[in-house]
Amino acid sequence: MIYRNRAEWLAAENRRVLMFGMSGLGKTWLASMLRASPSGWFHYSVDYRIGTRYMGEYIADNFKREAMKNPFLRELLMSDSVYIASNITFENLAPLSTYLGKPGDPAKGGLSFAEYRHRQDQHRVAETSALLDTTHFISRAQDIYGLPHFICDSGGSICEVVDPDDPQDPILRELSAHSLMVWIEGSDAHTEELVRRFDRAPKPMYYQPGFLTRMWNQYRAERNEAEDQVDPDAFVRWTYRQALDHRQPRYAAMARNWGIAVKAEDVALVRDEKDFTSLIAAALPAA
């Protein structure tokens, strides 16, 4: 770890952290809070980087594909009279989620499983690149903006594109060499709340290929459904709970082998940069 103990963290002139864990436990909230603090924090969002730098064209083309189905919009597009682009932000990643889509019945907005896997593969490549861009943005934050501190708000699927038990994992070696990796660990109560939240508004996610194929085959076999009979929302709701159980040990291994862990309930008590600094210090070894 770049900060071996509490004293090194507290004495650091340049604090650099990468927050990871399930979406909904406070990563983006912490990053936004620190970004607004007067001491100068740069907020790097991996999902924002994915949706703009690496998948922005895919997303915009998907919008255009839909617009071309409308005669009025088709005419405007063909004459370059309108411009279509996503308005993705740190807090609103809906354009990226919409592009990833959900597999199943096309009458219910589902994609073929082959197309769904294709978009998942695009996301994996994009996420790997965006994570490896972290080091570049650490330098950029200081060289261009003069900001001494840096927080990387990683996506919930970071654990799907790394091998936390491989000491030679290229992504984790790079990230841990330049930032303190911090897992926001949720409790069983947090898990249930995330499931309830997802049930209310199911959204597309990225899954490890082997896990996704297993879930797709198991779901269809249990219900005896053909690919085009699957309810897309029902499938992603069912898969989400399995994904939480699948990801938990991977996050734990990342914290054990590459960083530290903080409790989600403690993150919820953070109100300012001082609280955040103390939270991280408490999770580091005393000496």
Side-chain angles (χ1 to χ4, degrees):
M1 294 189 298
I2 64 170
Y3 311 106
R4 293 170 296 179
N5 53 53
R6 193 171 303 163
E8 287 189 5
W9 164 256
L10 293 174
E13 293 183 2
N14 306 111
R15 295 190 177 119
R16 305 193 297 268
V17 296
L18 181 147
M19 310 301 295
F20 66 93
M22 283 301 297
S23 297
L25 293 181
K27 299 189 302 293
T28 302
W29 178 82
L30 278 176
S32 297
M33 181 269 294
L34 290 172
R35 187 175 73 232
S37 66
S39 62
W41 284 80
F42 187 92
H43 174 187
Y44 176 61
S45 167
V46 169
D47 281 339
Y48 180 80
R49 180 72 168 169
I50 291 170
T52 52
R53 172 65 177 83
Y54 292 108
M55 294 187 72
E57 187 171 319
Y58 300 145
I59 293 168
D61 283 351
N62 196 45
F63 292 159
K64 292 172 185 175
R65 198 173 293 113
E66 292 300 312
M68 287 291 284
K69 297 175 183 177
N70 181 300
F72 175 71
L73 292 176
R74 176 187 173 86
E75 182 178 344
L76 292 173
L77 274 175
M78 294 299 290
S79 62
D80 290 327
S81 299
V82 294
Y83 174 75
I84 295 179
S86 73
N87 189 28
I88 196 169
T89 67
F90 289 171
E91 289 78 20
N92 180 14
L93 300 167
L96 176 58
S97 291
T98 300
Y99 176 72
L100 281 178
K102 308 167 190 177
D105 185 352
K108 296 180 178 179
L111 300 169
S112 71
F113 191 65
E115 176 61 22
Y116 183 64
R117 279 292 305 269
H118 174 62
R119 297 186 187 191
Q120 291 271 307
D121 290 342
Q122 289 175 332
H123 190 282
R124 184 181 68 254
V125 173
E127 183 160 12
T128 297
S129 298
L131 285 167
L132 291 173
D133 283 346
T134 301
T135 305
H136 166 67
F137 274 87
I138 289 173
S139 299
R140 194 168 181 253
Q142 293 181 341
D143 294 345
I144 298 178
Y145 303 107
L147 297 174
H149 309 305
F150 181 92
I151 182 167
C152 175
D153 170 13
S154 72
S157 54
I158 182 175
C159 67
E160 308 281 17
V161 298
V162 300
D163 181 353
D165 291 315
D166 179 5
Q168 300 303 319
D169 184 271
I171 298 175
L172 292 175
R173 281 174 63 86
E174 177 68 13
L175 294 175
S176 63
H178 298 280
S179 62
L180 177 65
M181 301 190 63
V182 183
W183 177 31
I184 301 181
E185 181 181 2
S187 64
D188 289 343
H190 288 112
T191 298
E192 294 305 320
E193 174 55 30
L194 291 176
V195 170
R196 284 193 293 271
R197 191 183 306 173
F198 194 89
D199 278 346
R200 290 194 297 270
K203 65 178 183 179
M205 289 174 53
Y206 173 76
Y207 303 102
Q208 202 174 49
F211 170 82
L212 174 62
T213 300
R214 246 183 0 262
M215 294 300 100
W216 179 247
N217 291 337
Q218 182 181 339
Y219 183 89
R220 291 177 51 230
E222 289 178 357
R223 292 157 182 79
N224 193 29
E225 291 180 342
E227 288 195 6
D228 59 0
Q229 294 175 321
V230 173
D231 183 305
D233 282 346
F235 172 72
V236 296
R237 283 190 178 101
W238 180 83
T239 305
Y240 181 75
R241 182 53 190 260
Q242 323 303 318
L244 293 184
D245 294 337
H246 165 75
R247 289 181 175 183
Q248 194 74 358
R250 299 182 69 84
Y251 289 139
M254 287 174 64
R256 181 174 64 250
N257 297 330
W258 300 92
I260 61 174
V262 296
K263 300 291 186 182
E265 54 263 34
D266 294 329
V267 169
L269 298 176
V270 171
R271 291 293 173 265
D272 53 30
E273 182 184 8
K274 182 179 178 182
D275 288 348
F276 176 77
T277 302
S278 298
L279 176 71
I280 300 302
L284 285 164

